[in-house]
Amino acid sequence: MKKHFILILLAFLIITPAPESYSQVRLIISKKFGERIRVAIAPFTGNSFHSSEITSKIEKYLNFSGFFKTIENKSFVSQQHQEDLKNGFIDFKGWQSLTAEILVKGKAVNRGDKLDIEFEVFSTSDKKRIFGKGIRGKTRNISFLACNIVD
């Protein structure tokens, strides 16, 4: 009897999803094998002197995944980002002209030895926000925070 109870309990735990799985966003990659999704990562804004480091680590991790290719011309990306900031809205056609399919924008704010990061991911073809997230961590863990953003 006790063995049956344990087996039923284990089966229930295996079948029941974890609470954090309810909030996960799944990205379905529908491109042909070998085609990578082109991503533009706008320079992170905010008061953090770590913003450029966060941006470059996100680019590194996305490129390493094999599913994404970041836009390499940083001056065009920066220029388009400045236009968005000046206009007060995202010019999706401008980002599409850079061949970006996905756009990542974010903000990093230092609060002592902590770093608050907020970011949003947009589809340039659908001209809408896919999702956004905020995370907090220690400034010495920038690689971990960037990896968390990419995940």
Side-chain angles (χ1 to χ4, degrees):
M1 179 79 167
K2 192 173 184 178
K3 286 182 185 179
H4 292 334
F5 176 76
I6 292 172
L7 286 174
I8 291 171
L9 181 61
L10 283 174
F12 178 77
L13 291 174
I14 291 170
I15 293 171
T16 306
E20 52 270 3
S21 68
Y22 293 119
S23 62
Q24 290 180 354
V25 174
R26 297 193 192 278
L27 179 65
I28 298 172
I29 298 177
S30 59
K31 291 198 156 231
K32 295 179 198 169
F33 180 76
E35 284 186 53
R36 295 166 70 169
I37 297 171
R38 302 211 21 108
V39 180
I41 302 173
F44 276 44
T45 60
N47 75 351
S48 177
F49 50 89
H50 297 290
S51 295
S52 63
E53 185 179 358
I54 293 165
T55 304
S56 67
K57 287 193 181 292
I58 291 170
E59 288 174 346
K60 176 184 166 187
Y61 295 146
L62 284 174
N63 285 326
F64 183 75
S65 76
F67 294 110
F68 303 97
K69 175 149 181 55
T70 58
I71 306 297
E72 292 177 7
N73 193 328
K74 305 296 177 239
S75 62
F76 286 157
V77 170
S78 184
Q79 182 180 1
Q80 183 60 51
H81 179 58
Q82 291 303 317
E83 285 291 316
D84 287 355
L85 292 174
K86 184 176 86 175
N87 295 333
F89 62 88
I90 298 172
D91 177 13
F92 288 106
K93 286 192 189 265
W95 289 104
Q96 287 174 338
S97 73
L98 297 177
T99 69
E101 299 169 71
I102 300 289
L103 170 62
V104 178
K105 287 191 169 239
K107 178 173 140 179
V109 177
N110 279 82
R111 301 199 192 288
D113 69 337
K114 302 265 193 253
L115 186 61
D116 288 340
I117 302 173
E118 296 175 359
F119 69 95
E120 295 179 294
V121 178
F122 300 89
S123 167
T124 60
S125 60
D126 295 335
K127 299 179 172 99
K128 66 180 184 178
R129 181 179 181 262
I130 299 172
F131 73 96
K133 185 177 177 183
I135 59 173
R136 174 181 272 180
K138 295 199 180 270
T139 54
R140 68 173 185 248
N141 294 336
I142 291 180
S143 292
F144 174 77
L145 295 171
C147 191
N148 191 330
I149 290 169
V150 170
D151 283 346

